[in-house]
Amino acid sequence: MKTYQGNPATQWLCALTTAAAICWSGQAGAVENIEKEELKFGFIKLTDMAPLAIAYEKGFFEDEGLYVQLEAQANWKVLLDRVINGELDGAHMLAGQPLGATIGFGTKADVITAFSMDLNGNGITVSNGIWRQMKAHVSMADGKPVHPIKASALKPVVDKYKAEGKPFNMGMVFPVSTHNYELRYWLAAGGIQPGYYAPPQDISGQINADALLSVTPPPQMPATLEAGTIYGYCVGEPWNQQAVFKGIGVPVVTDYEIWKDNPEKVFGVSKAWADKYPNTHLAVVKSLIRAAMWLDADNNKNRPEAVKILSDSAYVGADYEVIANSMTGTFEYEKGDKRPLPDFNVFFRYNATYPYYSDAIWYLTQMRRWGQINEYKPDSWYRNIAKKVYRPDIYMAAAKELIAEGKAKAADFPADDESGFKPPQSEFIDGIVYDGSKPNEYLAKFAIGLKGKQRVVDGKVVE
Amino acid sequence: MNNKLIKFFTITGLTWFVPVVRICNGDNPRQQIKALWMAMGVPVVAFIGFLMLWNAVAQQIQTSLGALPGPVAVWEEVDSLIEDHYAEREKEAAFYERQHKRNEKKLARNPNATVKIRSYTGKPTYLDQIVTSLYTVFSGFLLAIFVAVPLGILCGMNRVFNIALNPLIQVFKPVSPLAWLPIVTLIVSAVYVTNDDSWFEKSFLTSAITVTLCSLWPTLINTAVGVSSVEQDLVNVGRVLRLNYSTQIKKIILPSALPYIFTGMRLSLGVGWMVLIAAEMLAQNPGLGKFVWDEFQNGSSHSLSKIMVAVFTIGIIGFILDRIMHSLENIFSFGKAI
């Protein structure tokens, strides 16, 4: 009797199958049943879109079975509209955008976020001419300005413009942008009134303003400053360092100095999308967490590689040196005045990617402070909106899967009993303490800005 | 043979080569060399002059992105864009290979699993953008022709219809693409629902429809003029023979009006190409316009040269499109100039 041994091809196939099965087991735990594998995400040309570029280039998306296309968008408005109407599956967003859309300031739509993209990363730049006038009021040590520079140094300049009847124009990137609130925070802390909104009639945000703030898309900031349309702006990187390289402006303060480790961009998707594709959403968040970990791994040792990827014309596209300035832990203020700032861009450490309710509430307090929310809201309202928009539950589900797969450690993430509220934070440029659980109490501490039952009616603040 | 060649060059508008053919033919060399100098020499010398002037001026202008790039810098950028294209193609091949491997593994684990190959997700290269723009402009242009020619014929044949349509034509003709774009974008977004296997991207539709809206007018107007100026004798012959409507159009009106229609189409394509680039820039739809805008936003030290490469590409492609339409016009006008 002849024993069946099988032909060599079959044996080879068996061996291959076994090998493949072993290889596959390494991937076990990847999100099953992805509802939508082909995705398109939008971004704005800024260094803090890095987690998206890294997740793509390092294959983290593909590891989760996602085939993602990344597409640069013209401005924040176009980006938000495209996420809402479904042309984009998700996008790199300003933290205020999902919140603003949910409460209906500007566009009304349900947009949520389960992933915060970074901490810090912005700066305020003024033109060379304004800097010369400001410098007289800045305290110096060893021939160099003492940082942080407060807006009180800018106040005499603004007052002079006001006395001469000339408008003092500054740029920010979007009405609900971090940049708008940071610039306003800095100005107000230095005694300069940045103006109120009074929706729905007046959404220019220039009521009673000493400094007139208007919208310019981030990559156009340097060109607009150079053209003299604005005297200063608040924007993300690399557009502050670009001004230094071009010799057209001087960054005077970074957002790290305005509010240490402030939350910046988020990854936003429409609520309808998230409800329809929950597994896909989870897989996206997993890839992004891995990208953020990669960006901050081993004391930023991957940053030079990240800068190289970002300088590709399809991503940020600015020159390597310009992007490297801030991404590798330094920041150049006045030309030649390069200082170490290791936390200028934080992508993962200090739980940077976790969507804290208290972060959402800070944005809502600023919307209230400047009249974008033009009526009193109880503390519970702030909490409810934050819970509607920020989704730590999805984030933690993704984190748990990564831990189970051995791709992350439990210690890298907040504890299970985490409340979503950071302890009160005091490291603001004006020293005011922020406690996310008491938004109205927080608002009452500001000298400039709406508080209590105040409203803006016909260009006046009334009780 | 040579006469045919000369005729070919004349019709295609490549009159540069006519003297060369004649010289090969041994046809009065002195006169032909003079003709050659006029046809090729002068333009080439003028172009070299332009390059030198550009080079000289470029060095004087300092922009915030460095000196204005001269011809050499721009030419180098062409190289780097082509290199970039091939690098991207390599990444694409690797992408597909990874997918194949993944699918094999999946099949090995479960032979009944459904596997699928997804298209490449990387960035479109410069050459891809050119192809996208060409595809979009032709789609929009063809759509414009399908609307404009029948409407034009109706206008030309029927006085009442012509009077009825005239105000609309007069009002919509001068509207800039930048004004149509938001309307088209909003309507397409509202009406056209995409899913995973839609035929077109929304962005493609908005660009193409904007091109259509801006480029249909010259064809419409020219067709109407062409049809209404068909010789009355021919129309009468048709009546005497009692030809039915469609035969009249096919046998009498279209042949007489064709030269006008083609002139209109040539103008339309020219307008369409210009409009497309503007629309792509503004709406960030894929294509050369998006390339220019992205580079403007990048603000890298290579951005200006890349934008200039795009300007030349747009110009040269526009020129070639015009030549093609010009040849068609020559062929269909049967030697009659309009």
Side-chain angles (χ1 to χ4, degrees), chain A residues 16-17 20-21 23-24 27 32 35-38 40 45 56-57 62-65 67-74 78 82 85-87 217 219-220 223 226 239 242 246 248 277 312-319, chain B residues 63-65 84 88 91 95 98-99 102-106 108-109 116-124 185 189 194 196 201-203 281-286 290 293-303 306:
Chain A
L16 189 76
T17 317
C23 293
W24 186 271
Q27 299 227 340
E32 294 290 330
E35 302 92 348
K36 191 174 184 204
E37 294 170 326
E38 283 150 278
K40 191 189 261 184
K45 287 176 175 288
Y56 179 87
E57 296 288 337
E62 282 182 39
D63 283 353
E64 301 294 335
Y67 296 89
V68 175
Q69 247 182 305
L70 299 175
E71 197 183 89
Q73 305 296 312
V78 168
R82 284 192 161 176
N85 72 26
E87 276 178 86
Q220 265 111 276
E226 199 181 359
W239 310 117
Q242 179 85 323
K246 285 174 143 191
I248 56 172
Y277 308 117
D312 186 299
S313 62
Y315 298 126
V316 181
D319 288 343
Chain B
T63 73
S64 55
L65 295 178
D84 188 47
E88 195 65 26
K91 276 176 93 177
F95 173 82
R98 282 202 302 278
Q99 268 197 73
R102 190 176 300 254
N103 284 343
E104 269 168 28
K105 277 183 198 167
K106 201 172 172 187
R109 201 171 53 136
K116 198 174 148 193
I117 292 291
R118 285 147 201 96
S119 44
Y120 183 51
T121 54
K123 63 170 183 189
T185 309
S189 303
T194 44
D196 287 349
E201 291 273 335
K202 273 181 186 167
S203 53
M281 263 177 102
L282 196 72
Q284 295 287 287
N285 291 339
K290 180 168 169 61
W293 192 248
D294 279 352
E295 282 305 328
F296 172 57
Q297 294 213 312
N298 284 349
S300 96
S301 49
H302 293 276
S303 292
K306 284 187 181 166

Side-chain angles (χ1 to χ4, degrees), chain B residues 152-310:
Chain B
I153 292 175
L154 271 176
C155 284
M157 288 177 73
N158 187 322
R159 225 174 78 81
V160 177
F161 197 80
N162 194 10
I163 292 170
L165 218 57
N166 198 35
L168 286 180
I169 298 177
Q170 300 303 335
V171 169
F172 287 138
K173 191 177 67 137
V175 175
S176 142
L178 307 187
W180 283 123
L181 197 64
I183 300 178
V184 175
T185 309
L186 287 173
I187 291 179
V188 168
S189 303
V191 174
Y192 185 69
V193 181
T194 44
N195 53 41
D196 287 349
D197 9 72
S198 302
W199 281 17
F200 306 115
E201 291 273 335
K202 273 181 186 167
S203 53
F204 163 79
L205 274 191
T206 38
S207 301
I209 292 175
T210 309
V211 167
T212 304
L213 281 175
C214 297
S215 69
L216 63 86
W217 312 109
T219 306
L220 176 55
I221 293 166
N222 266 33
T223 307
V225 171
V227 170
S228 62
S229 59
V230 174
E231 276 181 49
Q232 205 53 42
D233 291 349
L234 284 175
V235 178
N236 290 340
V237 170
R239 285 212 184 111
V240 171
L241 293 177
R242 301 210 173 164
L243 295 179
N244 66 28
Y245 218 65
S246 72
T247 321
Q248 260 190 61
I249 292 179
K250 268 193 289 192
K251 298 283 175 192
I252 296 175
I253 301 203
L254 269 186
S256 321
L258 264 187
Y260 286 91
I261 297 179
F262 271 92
T263 307
M265 278 161 60
R266 181 183 171 197
L267 293 173
S268 282
L269 189 58
V271 171
W273 183 241
M274 283 210 287
V275 163
L276 176 69
I277 304 298
E280 285 171 349
M281 263 177 102
L282 196 72
Q284 295 287 287
N285 291 339
L288 281 171
K290 180 168 169 61
F291 174 86
V292 171
W293 192 248
D294 279 352
E295 282 305 328
F296 172 57
Q297 294 213 312
N298 284 349
S300 96
S301 49
H302 293 276
S303 292
L304 257 176
S305 341
K306 284 187 181 166
I307 291 173
M308 287 191 186
V309 174

Side-chain angles (χ1 to χ4, degrees), chain A residues 39-345:
Chain A
L39 304 168
K40 191 189 261 184
F41 295 149
F43 68 90
I44 295 286
K45 287 176 175 288
L46 289 162
T47 50
D48 54 19
M49 62 74 66
L52 285 169
I54 297 305
Y56 179 87
E57 296 288 337
K58 291 279 139 194
F60 299 150
F61 283 135
E62 282 182 39
D63 283 353
E64 301 294 335
L66 304 171
Y67 296 89
V68 175
Q69 247 182 305
L70 299 175
E71 197 183 89
Q73 305 296 312
N75 56 56
W76 291 112
K77 166 104 178 91
V78 168
L79 175 137
L80 181 64
D81 288 348
R82 284 192 161 176
V83 169
I84 292 168
N85 72 26
E87 276 178 86
L88 296 173
D89 294 292
H92 161 229
M93 278 187 191
L94 296 160
Q97 282 187 307
L99 294 162
T102 301
I103 63 170
F105 181 76
T107 317
K108 170 92 182 123
D110 282 326
V111 180
I112 64 164
T113 177
F115 182 82
S116 174
M117 288 183 77
D118 60 328
L119 303 179
N120 313 319
N122 299 328
I124 294 174
T125 294
V126 297
S127 71
N128 291 334
I130 300 296
W131 174 240
R132 268 193 298 277
Q133 299 175 54
M134 258 178 97
K135 224 173 167 178
H137 310 282
V138 173
S139 43
M140 309 287 277
D142 304 330
K144 284 183 175 176
V146 179
H147 283 277
I149 295 172
K150 296 194 173 167
S152 46
L154 179 65
K155 196 172 187 325
V157 184
V158 175
D159 288 345
K160 195 179 115 225
Y161 271 75
K162 224 177 144 187
E164 289 167 5
K166 287 192 288 192
F168 193 86
N169 296 319
M170 295 187 90
M172 46 83 184
V173 302
F174 199 66
V176 296
S177 66
T178 327
H179 315 81
N180 187 18
Y181 306 131
E182 281 166 359
L183 185 53
R184 282 166 185 272
Y185 199 102
W186 181 70
L187 290 170
I192 301 170
Q193 165 63 266
Y196 293 114
Y197 293 81
Q201 294 82 19
D202 189 335
I203 50 163
S204 67
Q206 299 182 342
I207 299 170
N208 294 345
D210 294 334
L212 305 171
L213 274 47
S214 60
V215 172
T216 307
Q220 265 111 276
M221 283 295 185
T224 316
L225 184 77
E226 199 181 359
T229 318
I230 50 178
Y231 303 124
Y233 56 71
C234 178
V235 76
E237 273 308 290
W239 310 117
N240 295 293
Q241 294 300 292
Q242 179 85 323
V244 178
F245 268 74
K246 285 174 143 191
I248 56 172
V250 178
V252 286
V253 66
T254 66
D255 60 343
Y256 181 82
E257 296 154 323
I258 298 172
W259 175 16
K260 186 180 163 189
D261 291 334
N262 67 88
E264 244 300 303
K265 305 293 183 315
V266 297
F267 179 78
V269 299
S270 81
K271 182 161 187 305
W273 184 93
D275 290 345
K276 199 170 161 198
Y277 308 117
N279 293 336
T280 313
H281 194 191
L282 201 62
V284 172
V285 175
K286 280 175 72 183
S287 332
L288 291 175
I289 293 177
R290 285 184 69 195
M293 286 169 66
W294 184 89
L295 277 161
D296 277 11
D298 298 333
N299 256 332
N300 296 354
K301 82 162 186 332
N302 294 327
R303 290 293 179 89
E305 189 184 342
V307 173
K308 192 154 186 315
I309 290 171
L310 289 178
S311 64
D312 186 299
S313 62
Y315 298 126
V316 181
D319 288 343
Y320 181 93
E321 301 77 37
V322 178
I323 301 179
N325 239 6
S326 65
M327 275 287 276
T328 54
T330 56
F331 194 78
E332 191 167 356
Y333 292 91
E334 218 174 340
K335 201 159 187 118
D337 184 4
K338 196 164 169 176
R339 304 188 185 199
L341 209 57
D343 281 346
F344 183 83
N345 269 124

